[in-house]
Amino acid sequence: MSPKINGPSIYVRDENGLLNRKVVDYEFNKDGSVNWRAMIKEEHLFPNRSWFEARGKDLPKTIEGLGDHQLLIKLSGIKELARLRGFDSVYYQVEKCEADHVAVTCTVTWIPNYETGNQAVSFSDMANATLDNTSSFATKFLETIACNRAFVRCVRNFLNVHIVGDDEIDKSGKPPK
């Protein structure tokens, strides 16, 4: 049996807004900012099938050696990054809601940390879901897909992560208009 862990005692942020170093092993960029890309666990990444198919290349079985442009990140990885960074709120504004097209803006209010001058910062990004850029069951849940896409874009763009979210990918199989 593993020893019991007291979550509240270790899930504490320091004066820089970072989680206890016993819990999170942060990596930093040369400019001193957190390298949020390096904080993504491999279990949340996988090869971008579309990138390899478009170039007539075989899909790799692992992510080893792949560039960010050849990868996709799962929603679970984006959620974990947001939790690691820390946020106060997530707000969604529906910009358009029609039977075949939903557009949503997601705003995340990030907790203060040293990267933002110890100030809370709100950041927004927008995404859509249409019958032309979704497939299968997703066509029945355009609002949810648009919200997920907007959340993914908001988190990864604020944290300067250049891996496209799996939720952002057009899985319709239809050529662009």
Side-chain angles (χ1 to χ4, degrees), residues 58-166:
D58 292 333
L59 183 69
K61 300 207 183 308
T62 70
I63 64 166
E64 189 174 329
L66 298 182
D68 287 355
H69 62 286
Q70 298 169 310
L71 295 169
L72 293 176
I73 184 171
K74 297 176 187 176
L75 180 59
S76 59
I78 294 294
K79 287 180 176 181
E80 185 171 306
L81 278 181
R83 184 185 60 78
L84 288 173
R85 172 54 181 81
F87 60 93
D88 280 328
S89 64
V90 177
Y91 173 76
Y92 296 95
Q93 174 68 43
V94 177
E95 307 293 344
K96 180 177 185 178
C97 188
E98 296 177 3
D100 62 346
H101 184 177
V102 177
V104 173
T105 297
C106 175
T107 301
V108 176
T109 300
W110 301 97
I111 64 170
N113 86 353
Y114 78 99
E115 293 175 301
T116 60
N118 291 314
Q119 300 293 312
V121 173
S122 291
F123 187 84
S124 299
D125 214 321
M126 177 186 239
N128 70 42
T130 70
L131 294 181
D132 289 331
N133 69 15
T134 58
S135 64
S136 185
F137 81 96
T139 61
K140 296 179 184 201
F141 302 99
L142 294 180
E143 296 90 348
T144 302
I145 301 302
C147 286
N148 283 348
R149 287 175 175 179
F151 178 75
V152 167
R153 292 182 57 78
C154 186
V155 172
R156 71 180 189 80
N157 285 332
F158 180 75
L159 298 179
N160 206 25
V161 172
H162 304 294
I163 300 171
V164 174
D166 180 44

